[in-house]
Amino acid sequence: MALALLLAVLAPAGAAHAAPGDDQWGFRGLVRDGERKPVTGAAVAVESDGEVVGTDVTDARGRWEILGLAGPGTYTVVVKTGGKTYEVEKELVRSGTTLPVQNLVMSTSDAPAVQASLGDKLAQRAVSGLNLGLLIAIAAIGLSLVFGTSRFTNFAHGENVTFGGIMGYVFASLAHLPLLLAAAAATVAGAAFGYLQDLGFWRPLRRKGVSLVTLMIASIGAALALRSLFQFLYGNGTRSLTREDWGTVRLGPVVMPATSYVAMGISVAVLVAVGVWLKRGRIGKATRAVANNPALAGASGIDVDRVTRIVWVLSGGLAALSGVLLGVFNQVSYDMGFNLLLLMFAAVILGGLGTAFGTLAGAIVVGLCTEILVLWIPADMKYVGGLAVLVAVLLVRPQGLFGRQARIG
């Protein structure tokens, strides 16, 4: 039943399977002068190993776009205007948290240096890391709550993130809904998907008394099946979730798309709401009680099955929202959730298994380390930094930052 509904919901996305130009590599950007006004008619070129691989001219809004590059690699973006040349070196990498098409904002002002200072780079990376950490936190909190109430590690949680991203693409790009409305619709669809998973698969297995190891292995199988299904319906390419252009915002040395700041605001609001619900809400308190001691919670009159079902709904909705926001920050692909799964596990383990608030702290740490360390290590190795911090913390606190020590034996 759940699989049939999933096929019906995702079928429209299959129509975009061969959409032209959606999975290209390249750059697009904006050229401004010292007064932050658009520069019109500037010649823009992208070079690789000294050879020009693409050219464009800025329009009336100072915007340009060069797509169709060969793929990952180091490129030089050269802007020529007013008899002067400005250039910047950029790297395109294939990873779960970087864009195949990068957005650049270049200034023709002589006041700032062409090469940003270490402090400016650090600020830029810190904000990007905070954004990534908040996105990880939204998805990882659902993973942590499922572990706390169901007592097993759900390896299919990354596919819930992918489901949200694809549904966001369906609602925003195919149904042409405004981005915020598409995000809300995808979140509701993700919550329904979480409910159907528990109703049709996990709840029957729990009632049969299946062991936790078996449940974990079953989740790996479910992840493989869902990922193959997404690949079949959506295709191998990466696609932009929406064509809406909200422009860029500069806060001191930090320049980011306005959508990234909106995503951060939504993430903070949602995380605060979940925290208040866990601390103040009746079901939230029951969820914490079940996570601490299911047997005692059931003996106290709490409907453990109902609480677990609500947690699956909440987990699916949060994962879907994270997928939409990640699709705005990055692009949508059939394996985007799988690429993020390792960072989600790192956040949950770093914060402490089963602790929602610890997961938030762990996600922020992982996000910051992942982005900031790119200043010193290659971009395609940036996950190493976050995982190295995880190992270092666990050597000192095996229970995580906010986990409780447990006696074994």
Side-chain angles (χ1 to χ4, degrees):
M1 175 181 174
L3 184 59
L5 181 60
L6 177 62
L7 287 168
V9 171
L10 287 182
H17 186 95
D22 278 338
D23 55 353
Q24 297 189 73
W25 294 80
F27 299 92
R28 62 169 61 97
L30 171 67
V31 180
R32 299 187 297 196
D33 59 18
E35 298 179 355
R36 302 179 67 182
K37 295 180 180 179
V39 176
T40 304
V44 184
V46 174
E47 299 179 356
S48 176
D49 296 327
E51 179 183 352
V52 176
V53 293
T55 60
D56 197 9
V57 177
T58 57
D59 60 17
R61 298 189 299 165
R63 298 189 178 277
W64 57 273
E65 182 175 83
I66 298 176
L67 301 177
L69 301 184
T74 301
Y75 297 88
T76 302
V77 180
V78 182
V79 176
K80 295 182 178 180
T81 180
K84 296 183 178 181
T85 301
Y86 308 85
E87 60 182 56
V88 61
E89 190 175 274
K90 288 291 181 179
E91 185 178 14
L92 294 178
V93 297
R94 188 186 303 276
S95 84
T97 58
T98 55
L99 291 167
V101 179
Q102 284 194 17
N103 295 305
L104 303 177
V105 178
M106 299 182 67
S107 174
T108 62
S109 172
D110 291 328
V114 176
Q115 183 70 25
S117 66
L118 178 60
D120 290 349
K121 291 181 180 180
L122 189 61
Q124 180 75 43
R125 285 294 174 181
V127 175
S128 297
L130 179 61
N131 188 14
L132 176 61
L134 290 172
L135 297 183
I136 295 172
I138 293 178
I141 283 180
L143 178 63
S144 179
L145 289 175
V146 167
F147 177 84
T149 54
S150 299
R151 289 298 189 276
F152 86 98
T153 304
N154 181 21
F155 282 88
H157 191 70
E159 276 50 60
N160 292 338
V161 175
T162 303
F163 179 84
I166 293 178
M167 293 309 301
Y169 173 79
V170 170
F171 289 127
S173 292
L174 302 185
H176 304 293
L177 294 180
L179 181 57
L180 294 179
L181 185 58
T187 302
V188 173
F193 187 44
Y195 173 78
L196 290 174
Q197 288 179 67
D198 184 58
L199 180 65
F201 194 56
W202 302 116
R203 186 182 179 190
L205 289 179
R206 289 197 306 270
R207 290 190 169 184
K208 291 179 181 297
V210 174
S211 68
L212 297 181
V213 173
T214 303
L215 287 174
M216 183 182 69
I217 295 173
S219 73
I220 296 175
L224 293 173
L226 287 174
R227 191 154 62 250
S228 298
L229 178 65
F230 294 153
Q231 184 180 19
F232 173 75
L233 293 174
Y234 185 77
N236 292 320
T238 58
R239 301 182 176 90
S240 298
L241 189 143
T242 179
R243 299 298 182 185
E244 290 185 32
D245 183 7
W246 291 16
T248 58
V249 177
R250 175 183 288 273
L251 296 177
V254 179
V255 180
M256 291 184 66
T259 49
S260 294
Y261 291 107
V262 174
M264 292 171 67
I266 293 175
S267 300
V268 171
V270 169
L271 292 171
V272 169
V274 171
V276 172
W277 176 75
L278 286 172
K279 283 289 188 181
R280 305 288 185 182
R282 183 172 62 87
I283 302 298
K285 293 178 180 178
T287 300
R288 289 161 50 207
V290 172
N292 287 331
N293 193 323
L296 182 58
S300 302
I302 296 175
D303 189 341
V304 177
D305 276 344
R306 178 169 177 264
V307 170
T308 303
R309 194 178 316 123
I310 291 174
V311 166
W312 275 97
V313 172
L314 178 64
S315 175
L318 291 175
L321 177 61
S322 177
V324 174
L325 299 181
L326 184 62
V328 174
F329 175 67
N330 195 333
Q331 288 190 327
V332 179
S333 65
Y334 79 94
D335 59 351
M336 59 187 293
F338 173 74
N339 293 331
L340 197 68
L341 186 63
L342 185 60
L343 296 183
M344 286 191 285
F345 278 129
V348 171
I349 296 172
L350 183 61
L353 288 172
T355 60
F357 298 105
T359 298
L360 171 58
I364 298 299
V365 171
V366 170
L368 288 174
C369 292
T370 298
E371 289 293 330
I372 290 176
L373 287 177
V374 174
L375 295 174
W376 297 281
I377 63 177
D380 54 355
M381 293 180 59
K382 64 182 183 179
Y383 291 158
V384 174
L387 299 178
V389 172
L390 169 64
V391 172
V393 171
L394 292 182
L395 288 174
V396 180
R397 286 183 60 85
Q399 71 272 26
L401 294 175
F402 295 91
R404 292 177 300 178
Q405 290 185 342
R407 193 170 76 181
I408 301 176

